[in-house]
Amino acid sequence: MTATMQSPIRHDWSLEEVEALFALPFNDLLFQAQVMHRQNFDPNEVQVSTLLSIKTGACPEDCKYCPQSGHYNTGLEKEKLLEVEKVVNEAKAAREKGASRFCMGAAWRNPRAKDMPYVLEMVKQVKSLGMETCMTLGMLTADQALELAGAGLDYYNHNLDTSENYYGEIITTRTYSDRLETLQNVRDAGMKVCCGGIMGMGESARDRAALLAQLANLPSHPESVPINMLVKVQGTPLEVQEDIDPFDFIRTIAVARILMPKSHVRLSAGREDMNEQMQAMCFLAGANSIFYGEKLLTTPNPEADKDMMLFKKLGIRPEQREQAHSEDQQEAYLHDAIQAHDQQQRMESMFYDATKTA
């Protein structure tokens, strides 16, 4: 569609308008979302990111969904801040498998002064690989945001998680206004914002609508909007939470696409529990970004080769950056991934698991 036919970017959505979108017949909602998606993106391209935990566990926050919280016993081992060289090697491996963005996460309430030189060096070296850089380190002061921007950080992730009304049911150690302040510090420093939420934490449909309205009504839409499905981890207060209905999750993707038409909507945590058909519906609803790799910080995620196999089935290709791999290199990797997958299946058929009884 031509630019003159595109819908205007809005920052004045009412909660009632957003709820009305959620209430549309499913096919009508997906049609609107797909039209909006095609106005602003190539519908068959998906931005691919890899996420690495650079410091794991012992976080002082009490987020009820998080295995890294020091308030809960989830069996997660505490780790120190990873060495810069190890992080760079992980970034190189991610680049070789087609990732164009490398995200680094630390289980902190906020970065400490003694950690900042190492974090800044990580940004500089990953950036030098030709990849987009992203970090999630907790709350940031205005000065810390400026330091990260000066090192070349492209994106900062800081999720709102849920609606302001439901927020207190999930987190008590950090306020909603604290999160909004960090987002403003990131914007003021000139970095791009990655901000979304988690579905399936016991929130109401109205809470989901309120979260998306909050994101869409920010002065600038987040460039990336991760829509996570709760990963229930044993030892956290939400380990027995009832599953969100898949159609409700897909609706959330579609509404996010309509409200924030130029943002990358990321199909994020929880993909391990989604079958291929559900993921395909999410792409149809407007999702055009994924994390891939074996883990998202500390929770499972589909392996990279499986993602490339799904891309092949759907005719989807990784979104390219100017410094990223060429299309020929991406195709070569995809071919190698498919061959490796087939060979693994042949090898598995030759053996049985002797640890299992008949």
Side-chain angles (χ1 to χ4, degrees):
M1 296 189 179
T2 64
T4 57
M5 297 175 65
Q6 293 188 10
S7 301
I9 301 295
R10 290 181 53 186
H11 302 272
D12 60 351
W13 291 92
S14 70
L15 181 56
E16 291 71 25
E17 284 179 300
V18 179
E19 288 183 307
L21 288 173
F22 272 97
L24 286 172
F26 186 73
N27 287 343
D28 292 349
L29 176 60
L30 259 63
F31 177 77
Q32 286 196 30
Q34 180 63 197
V35 169
M36 187 69 73
H37 188 51
R38 287 172 178 270
Q39 288 179 354
N40 295 282
F41 292 97
D42 184 324
N44 295 311
E45 282 192 350
V46 172
Q47 189 270 325
V48 176
S49 300
T50 295
L51 177 60
L52 175 69
S53 178
I54 60 173
K55 186 270 177 183
T56 302
C59 180
E61 306 284 11
D62 67 351
C63 309
K64 288 184 178 179
Y65 54 82
C66 186
Q68 300 206 64
S69 172
H71 294 257
Y72 317 124
N73 182 16
T74 64
L76 186 69
E77 293 184 6
K78 302 173 184 177
E79 295 178 358
K80 295 181 179 180
L81 185 66
L82 283 184
E83 298 173 8
V84 173
E85 184 179 359
K86 290 182 179 179
V87 172
V88 173
N89 287 337
E90 291 287 343
K92 289 178 180 177
R95 184 184 63 179
E96 290 305 311
K97 289 193 172 184
S100 60
R101 186 182 304 170
F102 193 70
C103 305
M104 296 157 275
W108 288 327
R109 175 177 172 84
N110 53 276
R112 297 171 298 181
K114 68 177 185 178
D115 294 319
M116 285 300 290
Y118 300 99
V119 168
L120 298 174
E121 186 62 24
M122 289 176 190
V123 172
K124 292 174 183 177
Q125 293 206 28
V126 173
K127 185 83 170 177
S128 72
L129 300 176
M131 303 181 78
E132 288 183 320
T133 53
C134 178
M135 281 193 159
T136 176
L137 311 172
M139 293 184 291
L140 290 182
T141 65
D143 287 342
Q144 287 173 328
L146 286 170
E147 284 186 274
L148 288 166
L153 188 64
D154 296 298
Y155 286 81
Y156 194 79
N157 168 258
H158 200 63
N159 290 334
L160 292 179
D161 288 344
T162 188
S163 70
E164 185 172 11
N165 183 62
Y166 193 64
Y167 183 83
E169 299 295 320
I170 303 299
I171 304 157
T172 66
T173 51
R174 186 191 312 182
T175 67
Y176 212 68
S177 60
D178 286 336
R179 291 182 181 261
L180 291 171
E181 181 179 352
T182 290
L183 293 178
Q184 190 58 54
N185 289 339
V186 170
R187 276 287 180 221
D188 290 345
M191 288 182 287
K192 297 175 182 178
V193 169
C194 176
C195 184
I198 305 172
M199 308 302 125
M201 299 191 294
E203 75 284 349
S204 67
R206 189 175 182 85
D207 287 317
R208 290 174 205 143
L211 168 65
L212 295 185
Q214 176 75 61
L215 293 170
N217 289 339
L218 291 172
S220 298
H221 291 166
E223 281 81 3
S224 288
V225 181
I227 304 297
N228 301 274
M229 188 171 73
L230 175 67
V231 178
K232 291 177 282 189
V233 178
Q234 186 174 1
T236 64
L238 296 182
E239 64 174 302
V240 295
Q241 181 62 48
E242 183 178 351
D243 290 342
I244 185 174
D245 183 275
F247 288 106
D248 289 338
F249 184 86
I250 297 166
R251 282 181 179 274
T252 306
I253 294 280
V255 174
R257 169 52 63 216
I258 293 169
L259 299 184
M260 294 166 279
K262 293 187 178 297
S263 302
H264 279 83
V265 176
R266 177 174 295 143
L267 184 58
S268 200
R271 285 202 303 123
E272 176 75 9
D273 296 321
M274 300 178 194
N275 60 27
E276 290 185 339
Q277 291 77 15
M278 182 177 175
Q279 292 187 60
M281 291 293 286
C282 288
F283 293 135
L284 182 65
N288 65 335
S289 178
I290 62 166
F291 275 130
Y292 84 169
E294 294 181 3
K295 282 189 177 182
L296 295 186
L297 293 181
T298 60
T299 56
N301 194 50
E303 294 179 3
D305 287 354
K306 291 183 179 179
D307 289 331
M308 290 300 175
M309 292 294 292
L310 179 59
F311 278 18
K312 184 69 173 179
K313 290 179 183 180
L314 300 178
I316 287 173
R317 57 189 174 273
E319 183 180 280
Q320 297 295 299
R321 294 187 69 232
E322 184 178 347
Q323 302 99 322
H325 287 321
S326 69
E327 186 173 343
D328 288 343
Q329 289 172 306
Q330 290 283 3
E331 286 294 327
Y333 171 69
L334 188 57
H335 178 267
D336 291 344
I338 293 169
Q339 282 195 326
H341 180 269
D342 291 343
Q343 183 177 4
Q344 182 180 4
Q345 285 188 323
R346 289 194 298 271
M347 289 293 292
E348 289 175 352
S349 67
M350 298 170 62
F351 296 91
Y352 69 95
D353 188 345
T355 65
K356 294 182 179 179
T357 59

